[in-house]
Amino acid sequence: MKKIVKITIVAIAVIVLLLVAIPLLFTGKIEGIIKEEGNKMLNAEFDFESLDISLIRRFPQVSVSLEEFYLKGVGAFENDTLVSAEEITATMNLMSLFGDGGYEIKKILLDGVTLKAIVLADGSVNWDVMKPTEEEEAIPEDTTSATTPIRILLQEFEIENLNLVYDDRQSSMYAAVAGLDAEISGDFGSERTLLDLIADASAVTYMLEGVPFLNKAHIAADMKIDADLVNNRFAFSENTLQLNAIKAAIDGWVALTDAGMDMDVKLNSNEIGFKEILSLVPAIYTQDFEGLETDGTATLTAYAKGALAGDSIVPEFNLAFDVKNAMFHYPDLPAGVDNINIAAKVSNPGGSPDATVVKINPFNFVMAGNPFSVTANLLTPMSDLAFDATAKGRLDLGKVKDIYPLEDMSLNGLVDADIAINGRMSHIEKEQYDKIKASGTVGLKDMQLEMEGIPAVDIKKSLLTFTPRYLQLSETAVNIGENDIVVDSKFENYIGYALKGTTLKGSLNVKSNHFNLNDFMTTDSTAVAATDDAVVADTVATGVIEVPSYIDFTMQAAFKKVLFDNMVFDNLNGTLVVRDSKVDMKNLSLNTMGGDVVVNGYYYTPQEVQPQFNAGFKLNKIEFAKAYNDLNVVRKLAPIFNGLTGDFSGNVNIDTKLDNTMSPILSTLTGAGSLSTKDLSLNNVKVIQVVADIVKKPSLKDTRVKDVNIEFTIKDGRVNTKPFDVKLGDYKMNLSGSTGLDQTIDYKGEITIPTSAGKVAQLGTVDMNIGGTFTSPKVSIDMASLAKKAASQAASKALDKLLGGSSKSAEGENGDTIATTTNTKEEVANKLINGALDLFKKKK
């Protein structure tokens, strides 16, 4: 008996030992395979913190887990993480590890996964991370056996807390899913199986062209799908779909084909209350929705039947939404919205997408006693969009607070609308305005808006007049906080812009007495925080003023005062052309920094690229001190301005990228120009003080200079000046060199010594070098040059004594001038100079 017990204990110990040891034996192998195969296939940064293999967790199957996995982009997406996951676990058949038939994966678990898909404006995508494959090469038969296949016999796929962001900047589409939990079970290794899907997303956001169609909507699904995995046909049986308060089901099937898919599906919504329909309106669903009182009937039907192939073939489909005699009312408010009637339908008989018809007739409601009605019909949207729309009624904005609970917001004003538009896009494109019917007006009166976080808006009166050719905006005066603006404008192609997003053209006359651009610097949020504890967004604080690409405006501007950052511009007048994400400035004149400026150039904000500024400035009497205080680029590249009093004039051309505060990125700044000043005080210039000490002339520290002219270029973070003269009392300096972003100085120059300096004046000029920084300059005399000059003068005097005076010339027989003592004197002089230099060096 004891022997049996011992054998049993030993056997158990061996089994436990194997369960612990086998993972240790295979961890390196599996980890190597994953990293090796991943790096072979992916053009991205791919890694994970640890690999865990366990035989105990799901014995007798082996569990392989990747902890803290991530996949990061490269190139334009090097700062974006495409995929990150706290845990990715695959459960595998243990015995498949020992054979060469492949690894059988039974279950996959994704936990704490974040996916971020981005489409840039140029169409490039961040998920294109697979390395390009070359033409398939012939592989010798004896090498194919070395490949180990991975067979997926999946029975369960589980997702916990998945966050997804889809940011399509080319189509202006944005979607975010937060807190998605999902579980799919079935036998994926068989030819046919019953898939069981349970999914729940706590917050789903969808925006198109900045319009939120879904805002943190709750979406759930509980579905059973009969899956024919051989023929890729999936039939829906028992299922429930939920969008906010609406619950529905799908009947029918979907089959994947080489061209796309075939389908025969129908939305089975049964009976839907109007309250459930209102849950689709983001503002209503999030504001005291449970207590909302509603009445009326609503129906929602939809089906699709036929083939879907790319963008050219669509199935027959119909989506119909009807509301009759509905109302809603918040119990704590005095009024509601009554007599709501909606008949909306989108349909296509199947085949061409161009056969799609959109019809809304009517959409009527009465808000706080004021009726409003809208109708719309759209045909042939792909080939030549035909449109017919009307809007008529009054909206009393001051009554909104009586029907909807406004928080931290005050709204007043009257909107009166009576417009009708009918025509085709081809009529607009061909400028056949006689074939378009457009008439009516939209008037706004006494509008006042106060909301936390934004300046108060006050519009006394504004009138939009519709004609086939243009939209006239007149009688418009707007106050935004302390900013005032008067606009008289005309917009062309407004119908094409509204219906198809084509370019809106306009001519604007804009006037203002006070306009502070700092009030309009915004935070650019590329996404929305989906839940309190799961943020699937990138929010970048930026002061960049984006120039739209879809407008073409010519603007005559007349602004008495404009504020930007810490700068003040007075009497700004000129022409601004806004087109293709660029603002062209033409003879834009303004007063600033104590003087006058005329600007010609552009400001450009291409998508996905740093903004660019390129302009030429004509400057007149700009004060040095104000230029230093107002302009960061001056403080960086010309800090000497801080020590100057006076003003300057000239011309400057610059080209630079701008950062997210609209300040120049100095490493990208290039430019050239010339500056001149008539009367300049150098009292506080450190370099001049050091020079004064060297020449032992303290009075130079407190001096003024006249008529300084400087030509310069800017490149690679340095300002390079051509030689220029500065006169300091009786002294004259000629300087040239460069200064840098690091405040360093690298100048060379000459000081011309005046006769008033005594014997030193015999040297004529002294070469010097200026280095160090502006706050700690280092000025030195070129001693070798100085010694050579001193020795030359001494030798010349000695030579005159030896040879009896200065050298002379005589005429030859033919009248030619011949050197007499000159050659001999020069030879002697050179020897004396070289000897003097040798003595000077030895003495030194």
Side-chain angles (χ1 to χ4, degrees):
M1 185 66 181
K2 291 182 179 180
K3 186 175 181 180
I4 295 174
V5 172
K6 288 182 179 180
I7 293 173
T8 303
I9 292 174
V10 171
I12 292 174
V14 170
I15 292 173
V16 172
L17 182 62
L18 288 173
L19 291 175
V20 174
I22 288 177
L24 297 177
L25 294 174
F26 284 95
T27 296
K29 179 179 179 181
I30 301 298
E31 183 175 349
I33 291 174
I34 293 174
K35 290 191 175 183
E36 180 180 356
E37 294 301 320
N39 290 322
K40 283 181 181 178
M41 296 186 297
L42 300 173
N43 183 26
E45 187 180 343
F46 159 73
D47 205 354
F48 50 88
E49 185 174 295
S50 62
L51 172 69
D52 177 64
I53 300 178
S54 174
L55 291 173
I56 300 176
R57 187 185 304 175
R58 297 181 183 272
F59 185 80
Q61 297 177 345
V62 60
S63 177
V64 180
S65 298
L66 296 181
E67 305 287 344
E68 303 300 332
F69 166 88
Y70 69 83
L71 180 64
K72 294 183 179 180
V74 295
F77 302 102
E78 63 180 350
N79 295 322
D80 294 314
T81 300
L82 175 60
V83 184
S84 65
E86 295 178 9
E87 178 186 351
I88 299 178
T89 297
T91 302
M92 308 167 66
N93 185 332
L94 175 60
M95 298 309 296
S96 69
L97 294 175
F98 297 94
D100 55 6
Y103 306 126
E104 297 180 4
I105 301 176
K106 298 291 186 181
K107 178 181 177 179
I108 293 177
L109 167 66
L110 305 179
D111 186 10
V113 176
T114 297
L115 302 175
K116 186 176 182 181
I118 299 175
V119 183
L120 297 182
D122 60 6
S124 56
V125 298
N126 71 332
W127 62 83
D128 185 15
V129 296
M130 301 300 293
K131 290 182 178 178
T133 57
E134 299 178 355
E135 290 294 325
E136 191 172 322
E137 298 178 356
I139 301 176
E141 293 186 1
D142 58 351
T143 64
T144 58
S145 60
T147 303
T148 303
I150 298 179
R151 293 190 299 151
I152 300 180
L153 302 179
L154 196 60
Q155 293 180 345
E156 188 177 353
F157 187 83
E158 186 176 352
I159 297 173
E160 295 181 3
N161 191 27
L162 181 141
N163 296 316
L164 167 68
V165 170
Y166 177 73
D167 186 2
D168 188 340
R169 300 169 191 177
Q170 187 178 50
S171 303
S172 298
M173 181 189 302
Y174 175 84
V177 178
L180 173 63
D181 295 329
E183 185 174 347
I184 306 174
S185 60
D187 189 357
F188 290 89
S190 64
E191 295 183 353
R192 186 165 186 168
T193 186
L194 183 65
L195 300 179
D196 195 348
L197 166 65
I198 300 175
D200 189 291
S202 59
V204 178
T205 297
Y206 177 75
M207 291 190 294
L208 183 63
E209 298 288 349
V211 179
F213 290 91
L214 292 174
N215 184 20
K216 301 181 183 178
H218 175 220
I219 295 179
D222 187 351
M223 309 179 70
K224 297 187 184 299
I225 304 171
D226 184 5
D228 182 350
L229 300 178
V230 175
N231 299 305
N232 289 323
R233 188 178 187 276
F234 305 90
F236 303 96
S237 53
E238 300 177 15
N239 60 86
T240 301
L241 299 175
Q242 181 176 350
L243 173 58
N244 286 345
I246 295 178
K247 291 185 178 181
I250 295 179
D251 295 329
W253 55 268
V254 173
L256 303 181
T257 65
D258 293 337
M261 66 173 64
D262 288 333
M263 66 188 72
D264 186 357
V265 294
K266 180 181 180 181
L267 181 68
N268 182 9
S269 61
N270 296 323
E271 191 173 315
I272 299 177
F274 184 61
K275 185 173 183 177
E276 282 71 31
I277 294 297
L278 285 178
S279 75
L280 299 180
V281 181
I284 293 180
Y285 187 63
T286 59
Q287 186 72 40
D288 302 330
F289 181 75
E290 292 300 324
L292 187 66
E293 296 176 355
T294 64
D295 193 11
T297 61
T299 58
L300 176 64
T301 60
Y303 73 84
K305 183 177 182 179
L308 174 64
D311 298 328
S312 58
I313 298 175
V314 297
E316 175 188 352
F317 65 84
N318 184 86
L319 172 64
F321 174 53
D322 288 282
V323 175
K324 293 182 180 180
N325 300 320
M327 59 79 65
F328 71 88
H329 176 226
Y330 286 94
D332 296 333
L333 298 178
V337 179
D338 307 302
N339 298 328
I340 303 172
N341 291 278
I342 304 173
K345 183 179 180 181
V346 182
S347 62
N348 188 299
S352 171
D354 199 42
T356 301
V357 176
V358 179
K359 185 175 183 179
I360 303 173
N361 192 1
F363 177 17
N364 300 333
F365 60 88
V366 177
M367 187 182 84
N370 294 310
F372 204 92
S373 175
V374 176
T375 66
N377 293 284
L378 302 177
L379 303 172
T380 58
M382 308 304 293
S383 60
D384 184 13
L385 178 66
F387 51 87
D388 184 2
T390 65
K392 186 174 183 179
R394 166 174 280 200
L395 297 175
D396 188 343
L397 302 180
K399 298 290 187 180
V400 172
K401 65 180 182 301
D402 295 336
I403 66 169
Y404 183 81
L406 298 178
E407 293 184 356
D408 300 321
M409 178 179 174
S410 175
L411 181 64
N412 286 287
L414 291 174
V415 178
D416 284 294
D418 187 0
I419 57 174
I421 300 174
N422 177 281
R424 286 184 172 273
M425 282 301 302
S426 59
H427 298 155
I428 299 172
E429 293 167 352
K430 297 176 182 178
E431 299 185 356
Q432 297 172 336
Y433 298 109
D434 57 317
K435 296 182 179 181
I436 300 174
K437 296 180 180 179
S439 62
T441 60
V442 175
L444 180 61
K445 183 180 180 182
D446 296 328
M447 177 183 170
Q448 294 177 328
L449 172 64
E450 294 182 7
M451 183 182 297
E452 186 178 355
I454 66 171
V457 178
D458 186 354
I459 304 176
K460 294 299 183 184
K461 190 176 181 181
S462 181
L463 183 67
L464 285 171
T465 303
F466 292 79
T467 72
R469 182 181 293 271
Y470 60 81
L471 174 65
Q472 180 78 44
L473 175 64
S474 57
E475 303 177 20
T476 301
V478 182
N479 290 319
I480 306 174
E482 297 180 353
N483 306 292
D484 66 273
I485 189 167
V486 177
V487 183
D488 181 11
S489 307
K490 184 181 291 186
F491 302 100
E492 299 179 4
N493 192 44
Y494 68 94
I495 301 175
Y497 168 74
L499 296 178
K500 295 196 73 173
T502 54
T503 300
L504 178 66
K505 299 180 180 180
S507 57
L508 295 81
N509 294 312
V510 184
K511 299 179 181 179
S512 175
N513 293 311
H514 181 278
F515 202 76
N516 190 346
L517 284 171
N518 298 312
D519 291 342
F520 303 92
M521 298 298 192
T522 60
T523 298
D524 178 24
S525 300
T526 59
V528 180
T531 65
D532 291 338
D533 57 353
V535 178
V536 289
D538 279 344
T539 302
V540 181
T542 175
V544 171
I545 300 176
E546 298 285 349
V547 182
S549 61
Y550 44 79
I551 63 174
D552 184 352
F553 291 169
T554 299
M555 179 188 303
Q556 299 298 326
F559 290 75
K560 290 187 177 180
K561 185 180 290 293
V562 177
L563 289 81
F564 173 65
D565 197 13
N566 62 335
M567 298 189 68
V568 178
F569 307 110
D570 294 316
N571 301 318
L572 187 153
N573 294 275
T575 301
L576 301 175
V577 178
V578 184
R579 181 187 299 129
D580 297 330
S581 301
K582 181 189 290 187
V583 178
D584 281 302
M585 295 162 283
K586 299 184 177 181
N587 293 323
L588 192 67
S589 63
L590 53 97
N591 307 126
T592 187
M593 295 178 287
D596 308 321
V597 180
V598 177
V599 185
N600 284 278
Y602 64 81
Y603 167 68
Y604 184 37
T605 59
Q607 293 190 12
E608 314 302 335
V609 180
Q610 289 290 140
Q612 183 177 5
F613 183 75
N614 182 299
F617 299 85
K618 184 177 180 180
L619 310 172
N620 182 43
K621 294 186 177 180
I622 303 298
E623 295 181 17
F624 284 102
K626 289 186 177 180
Y628 179 85
N629 291 328
D630 291 352
L631 298 173
N632 181 59
V633 65
V634 171
R635 291 194 294 273
K636 291 289 187 181
L637 289 175
I640 194 174
F641 277 35
N642 190 36
L644 304 180
T645 57
D647 57 56
F648 62 91
S649 300
N651 295 279
V652 178
N653 294 284
I654 63 171
D655 184 5
T656 181
K657 301 289 187 183
L658 303 179
D659 62 18
N660 286 339
T661 64
M662 290 184 65
S663 298
I665 300 175
L666 298 180
S667 60
T668 70
L669 179 66
T670 60
S674 61
L675 301 178
S676 63
T677 180
K678 298 296 184 180
D679 187 12
L680 180 65
S681 173
L682 302 177
N683 294 2
N684 300 315
V685 179
K686 191 75 172 178
V687 172
I688 300 301
Q689 295 174 355
V690 175
V691 172
D693 290 337
I694 289 178
V695 298
K696 301 185 183 302
K697 193 76 172 178
S699 61
L700 295 182
K701 296 181 180 180
D702 184 13
T703 188
R704 304 187 73 88
V705 297
K706 305 285 186 179
D707 301 327
V708 178
N709 297 284
I710 303 174
E711 293 185 25
F712 63 90
T713 60
I714 306 172
K715 188 177 181 181
D716 298 328
R718 298 195 72 83
V719 178
N720 300 279
T721 60
K722 294 181 179 180
F724 64 95
D725 293 328
V726 177
K727 191 174 181 182
L728 303 175
D730 295 336
Y731 289 77
K732 180 181 178 182
M733 287 196 303
N734 181 269
L735 301 171
S736 65
S738 69
T739 60
L741 288 173
D742 54 0
Q743 307 290 289
T744 58
I745 310 171
D746 184 10
Y747 264 76
K748 294 184 181 300
E750 289 182 344
I751 300 180
T752 302
I753 309 297
T755 55
S756 60
K759 294 183 179 180
V760 179
Q762 298 176 8
L763 296 175
T765 61
V766 176
D767 296 333
M768 66 177 180
N769 298 312
I770 303 176
T773 65
F774 279 99
T775 56
S776 181
K778 300 183 185 304
V779 181
S780 59
I781 300 300
D782 188 336
M783 297 305 295
S785 173
L786 181 63
K788 188 171 183 179
K789 288 180 181 179
S792 176
Q793 291 177 4
S796 179
K797 291 180 179 179
L799 202 57
D800 284 341
K801 291 182 178 181
L802 288 173
L803 300 179
S806 59
S807 60
K808 297 182 179 180
S809 60
E811 285 188 352
E813 294 179 359
N814 298 324
D816 297 330
T817 300
I818 337 177
T820 54
T821 62
T822 302
N823 290 339
T824 304
K825 185 176 180 179
E826 287 179 351
E827 290 175 2
V828 174
N830 284 333
K831 290 179 180 179
L832 289 173
I833 289 170
N834 292 331
L837 285 174
D838 289 340
L839 289 173
F840 179 83
K841 291 177 182 178
K842 290 178 180 178
K843 185 177 180 181
K844 185 180 177 182

